[in-house]
Amino acid sequence: MNLDLLCSEVKDIARTVGDYLKNEQALLKRNDIELKGMRNYVTYIDKEAEQMLVLALQQLLPEAGFLTEENTVDFEQRPYTWVIDPLDGTTNYVHGDTPYSVSIALMHNEETIMGVVYDPVADQMFTATEMGKAYLNDLPLQVSKQAKLENGYIGFGIPYSLNEKGEHILQNTMKQFKKCSFRIKGSAALEISYVAAGISDAYFHSGLSPWDVAAGAFILQCAGGMCSDFSGGNNYIFGKEMVASNGAIHQEIMNYIIQGN
Ligand code: 2AM
Ligand code: CA
């Protein structure tokens, strides 16, 4: 399998679906969404976008199965699996805001082998096919060198249902407010990609699903960054907890924010 060739075709698909989302968002702003109800409208767009992705990716690699947010296709255990989120950043999207993205990962058994995350508004295409081969559009990605929390530029997200552990992490985060700059941007796939690009130094979030993180995590690792779950282990794709970082700042995030008292 020529992954670079496959990736360039996946980029075209991500661009087509991203442009669809962008056009629909412009209509969404003009329409009276109350007519249909916001939820229904977004569900409709999510599903349309997902079906576009599934059809195109099926043609590209007929033997692969799918793990998707909208469940428009049933999951089947196969050697190759596309793990896709047609619209990551839904809350931003329905408010006419940005960023939002299309997120596509290809897994071979347990391993991710390709990641593509596309922001159609900023026209930013993050991709990776192997270690050292991670790009933003055509520029190679490199993580930041920030080694301390102090002066760090750090993204995070708050789960829709916050448990005790989540509240604790939020309190720890607040204790660091004077030391570093925190941002909540609302698209996990992009926020992890920003760490890969050296835009931010780290990102953490719980309550996430595989399609939110699989592509971004692979892009980050190929750019030389690091991912872990909240215990420091490797269960960050299916385990619903993720710390993504440039590597250098990882331990401080774990010590002071994720596991700190
Ligand atoms: P979505 O837009 O597809 O729902 C926002 O915090 C980011 O986290 C988005 O990427 C959002 O994806 C994702 N997310 C997924 N599950 C979440 C949850 N339970 N709580 C908060 N954010 C969640
Ligand atoms: Ca998502």
Side-chain angles (χ1 to χ4, degrees), residues 49-239:
E50 185 168 300
Q51 272 164 357
M52 286 167 75
L53 278 180
V54 168
L55 277 177
L57 294 171
Q58 240 159 8
Q59 283 189 351
L60 210 54
L61 198 64
E63 67 264 41
F66 287 88
L67 181 61
T68 74
E69 172 147 33
E70 298 302 323
N71 272 315
T72 61
V73 57
D74 286 338
F75 173 73
E76 280 176 43
Q77 195 75 48
R78 295 196 189 179
Y80 288 99
T81 307
W82 295 108
V83 182
I84 59 177
D85 190 343
L87 171 52
D88 186 53
T90 319
T91 307
N92 290 347
Y93 189 85
V94 298
H95 289 90
D97 203 358
T98 58
Y100 55 87
S101 60
V102 181
S103 177
I104 304 171
L106 180 61
M107 295 189 80
H108 182 229
N109 298 321
E110 310 288 293
E111 305 242 325
T112 312
I113 56 171
M114 182 196 299
V116 171
V117 175
Y118 181 55
D119 174 342
V121 178
D123 191 22
Q124 288 185 318
M125 180 79 74
F126 299 89
T127 62
T129 48
E130 64 183 78
M131 203 63 190
K133 272 194 182 175
Y135 301 92
L136 166 49
N137 298 336
D138 292 322
L139 293 175
L141 296 183
Q142 222 178 7
V143 294
S144 77
K145 295 194 164 51
Q146 179 72 28
K148 297 227 154 281
L149 265 182
E150 200 162 352
N151 298 321
Y153 188 65
I154 296 163
F156 73 105
I158 303 170
Y160 299 130
S161 57
L162 198 62
N163 59 17
E164 207 176 307
K165 189 170 161 193
E167 263 182 42
H168 189 64
I169 289 174
L170 205 50
Q171 278 161 7
N172 284 344
T173 306
M174 284 162 68
K175 286 185 200 158
Q176 304 296 331
F177 270 8
K178 284 189 185 160
K179 266 195 181 171
C180 39
S181 302
F182 288 102
R183 295 288 181 273
I184 301 178
K185 298 208 168 166
S187 164
L190 278 173
E191 289 171 286
I192 302 164
S193 302
Y194 296 155
V195 183
I199 296 167
S200 50
D201 305 311
Y203 174 72
F204 55 92
H205 199 323
S206 59
L208 295 175
S209 300
W211 43 82
D212 300 314
V213 298
F218 184 66
I219 294 168
L220 173 59
Q221 284 167 326
C222 291
M226 186 176 172
C227 300
S228 79
D229 56 35
F230 285 179
S231 311
N234 285 329
N235 192 19
Y236 50 82
I237 292 186
F238 292 92

